[in-house]
Amino acid sequence: MGSAIFQHIKKFIDWGVDDQEILTPFLQPLSVKKKGFLLEQGQICRANYFVVKGCLRLYFIDIKGAEQTIQFVIENWWITDLTSFLFQEQSEFYIQAAEATEVIAIENHRYDEMFQKLPKLERYFRLILQKNHQASQRRIKFLYSQTAEERYRNFNHLFPEFVQRVPQYMLASYLGFTPEFLSKIRAKK
Amino acid sequence: MGSAIFQHIKKFIDWGVDDQEILTPFLQPLSVKKKGFLLEQGQICRANYFVVKGCLRLYFIDIKGAEQTIQFVIENWWITDLTSFLFQEQSEFYIQAAEATEVIAIENHRYDEMFQKLPKLERYFRLILQKNHQASQRRIKFLYSQTAEERYRNFNHLFPEFVQRVPQYMLASYLGFTPEFLSKIRAKK
DNA sequence: ATCATTTCTTAAACTACATTAAGTTTTTTC
DNA sequence: GAAAAAACTTAATGTAGTTTAAGAAATGAT
């Protein structure tokens, strides 16, 4: 159980079998069906989720009722609504499976305890959060840098396999425009 | 020296005088004049910066030659171009003082060593990065949620003092529109 | 296999915001 | 404190992307 996560941890910190034994009881494997939810608006985010297999997205519903995708995650990435998770406040977000997905959950009520028992995870999560922060800086720059059409072509060029994995309307909302406009762009060439 | 930073660390982790003595040699206080740069495009980002007093912004220059502000930081926040800082690659960003600013720098070539000598800082920086990640999630949601005018009114309502601290053209680029449009909004009411 | 649902496309009318360019006000510098 | 530079305003014109609405295609359920 949890071998994917251990493999991942090993890439970042010194990690042995004894550590594994301590961590295991904190890990809870879960399956989510395509379109299933790990979190819905108004709920309190219970866990931090590690994707073993599949694809999740974090989105919210804007004033006009449209879904806006903040983030996609695939294998070996973590996802949560940090504010809701850490402070156990009602979330404004949904976390939904874009395809059938297996995750490992670490629940809030044992999060602090986990760090107490395994302080070396402080370093692992610092490094993970650094990667997240890099991704956010890149993403914000990306959103500001180009026109909608350029963003689509650029993204399509960088991640052609990923574009095939998710419905176009999700991609459109991630790239910051409407599905109709995406159709228009695609028709052009 | 560095008392502001020690005060800040104490809010997050258990911290004593002995720790302070170990950390001090890694800290380098710097002053930056208004409009001065801690980082320019094409350079390698040397340090992670903690703002003691003042205000910095992270921006880049887009294809059309316009400045786009990614992030503002004020007292008690950290800022760096993480990708350039960690991997010592050329940066695509500028870090500029929006007003006369005092910072404490921790340089890249001693960053790993610092964590070795003071492993408890892993936790401090994990918590800081969590806050950053929360801020990024909020920011991306904010950019998607509202029209340009709503974003301005909202931001102005939430941070009225801050709006006074920076030139309008910086604020406009942070909020994702042109200075001309900001003038138009302000004239309206 | 068939029906229902979800996703994608097309096209016309519309609008929020950008661009350009000139003038005004504020801030900085010596 | 005068001159230069930087920041802000105004207004006309332009356009990238939205909205609406209806039909076509793909996917899923039984």
Side-chain angles (χ1 to χ4, degrees):
Chain A
M1 206 287 288
S3 77
I5 206 176
F6 299 137
Q7 285 308 111
H8 192 247
I9 294 173
K10 269 181 209 162
K11 284 190 202 163
F12 293 90
I13 60 169
D14 169 56
W15 186 255
V17 188
D18 43 336
D19 297 314
Q20 228 164 93
E21 266 167 34
I22 302 173
L23 183 56
T24 300
F26 292 91
L27 305 179
Q28 188 181 340
L30 286 177
S31 293
V32 207
K33 282 190 228 171
K34 189 170 177 175
K35 300 209 177 177
F37 291 96
L38 284 171
L39 172 67
E40 294 185 63
Q41 184 179 48
Q43 295 177 348
I44 287 162
C45 186
R46 306 185 53 173
N48 197 1
Y49 301 100
F50 177 84
V51 177
V52 174
K53 180 97 190 66
C55 177
L56 301 175
R57 68 164 176 151
L58 178 78
Y59 74 91
F60 70 97
I61 300 207
D62 71 14
I63 317 168
K64 292 175 186 161
E67 295 175 4
Q68 301 290 353
T69 303
I70 303 270
Q71 199 186 351
F72 284 112
V73 286
I74 56 172
E75 289 79 12
N76 294 323
W77 282 84
W78 290 87
I79 192 170
T80 189
D81 170 358
L82 252 193
T83 303
S84 176
F85 173 70
L86 292 175
F87 304 113
Q88 297 288 287
E89 295 171 4
Q90 290 199 359
S91 178
E92 298 169 346
F93 297 102
Y94 298 80
I95 297 177
Q96 187 191 35
E99 47 191 61
T101 300
E102 284 162 46
V103 302
I104 292 171
I106 300 180
E107 300 215 348
N108 168 274
H109 69 277
R110 307 199 60 194
Y111 207 58
D112 291 337
E113 191 196 342
M114 178 189 76
F115 285 113
Q116 276 165 32
K117 292 216 173 128
L118 267 172
K120 57 166 72 172
L121 284 181
E122 296 282 2
R123 180 172 173 85
Y124 170 69
F125 279 100
R126 174 176 70 85
L127 296 170
I128 293 303
L129 283 159
Q130 276 184 0
K131 281 185 58 173
N132 278 335
H133 192 254
Q134 280 181 70
S136 299
Q137 280 188 344
R138 240 180 291 126
R139 173 134 165 75
I140 293 176
K141 179 167 191 257
F142 178 77
L143 283 171
Y144 275 112
S145 291
Q146 293 151 301
T147 65
E149 179 162 358
E150 286 165 346
R151 290 199 300 275
Y152 170 71
R153 300 215 184 279
N154 194 225
F155 191 84
N156 201 38
H157 181 248
L158 287 172
F159 312 105
E161 7 47 61
F162 183 76
V163 171
Q164 302 308 317
R165 271 174 85 168
V166 299
Q168 286 183 38
Y169 73 90
M170 286 187 194
L171 190 63
S173 80
Y174 180 72
L175 294 175
F177 46 75
T178 59
E180 291 83 359
F181 190 68
L182 179 48
S183 272
K184 207 167 167 180
I185 295 169
R186 285 165 51 94
K188 264 204 199 169
K189 202 197 106 199
Chain B
M1 206 283 289
S3 76
I5 205 176
F6 299 137
Q7 285 307 111
H8 193 248
I9 293 173
K10 270 182 208 162
K11 284 190 202 164
F12 293 90
I13 61 170
D14 169 58
W15 186 255
V17 188
D18 42 339
D19 297 314
Q20 225 164 98
E21 265 167 35
I22 302 173
L23 183 56
T24 300
F26 293 90
L27 305 179
Q28 190 181 336
L30 287 176
S31 293
V32 205
K33 280 190 227 171
K34 189 170 178 173
K35 299 211 178 177
F37 291 97
L38 284 171
L39 172 67
E40 293 185 65
Q41 184 178 47
Q43 296 177 348
I44 286 163
C45 185
R46 306 184 52 173
N48 195 1
Y49 301 100
F50 176 84
V51 177
V52 174
K53 180 97 190 67
C55 177
L56 301 174
R57 67 164 177 151
L58 178 78
Y59 73 93
F60 69 99
I61 300 206
D62 70 16
I63 317 168
K64 293 173 185 162
E67 295 176 3
Q68 300 291 352
T69 302
I70 302 270
Q71 198 187 350
F72 284 113
V73 287
I74 56 171
E75 289 78 10
N76 293 324
W77 284 84
W78 290 87
I79 193 169
T80 189
D81 170 359
L82 251 194
T83 303
S84 176
F85 173 70
L86 293 176
F87 304 112
Q88 296 289 287
E89 294 169 6
Q90 289 199 0
S91 178
E92 299 170 343
F93 297 102
Y94 298 80
I95 297 177
Q96 186 191 35
E99 47 193 59
T101 301
E102 284 162 46
V103 302
I104 293 171
I106 301 180
E107 300 215 348
N108 168 274
H109 69 276
R110 305 199 61 193
Y111 208 58
D112 291 338
E113 189 196 342
M114 176 188 77
F115 285 113
Q116 276 163 34
K117 292 215 173 131
L118 267 172
K120 57 166 73 173
L121 283 181
E122 297 282 2
R123 180 174 172 83
Y124 170 69
F125 279 100
R126 174 175 70 84
L127 296 170
I128 293 302
L129 282 159
Q130 277 185 0
K131 279 184 59 171
N132 278 335
H133 191 254
Q134 281 180 71
S136 298
Q137 281 189 344
R138 237 181 293 124
R139 173 135 165 76
I140 292 177
K141 178 169 192 254
F142 178 76
L143 283 172
Y144 275 112
S145 292
Q146 293 151 299
T147 65
E149 179 164 355
E150 286 165 346
R151 290 198 299 275
Y152 170 71
R153 299 217 183 277
N154 194 223
F155 190 85
N156 202 37
H157 182 249
L158 288 172
F159 312 105
E161 5 47 60
F162 183 77
V163 170
Q164 303 307 317
R165 271 174 88 166
V166 299
Q168 285 183 41
Y169 74 90
M170 287 187 193
L171 191 62
S173 80
Y174 179 72
L175 294 175
F177 46 75
T178 59
E180 291 85 356
F181 191 69
L182 180 49
S183 271
K184 207 168 168 180
I185 295 169
R186 285 167 50 95
K188 264 204 196 171
K189 203 199 106 198

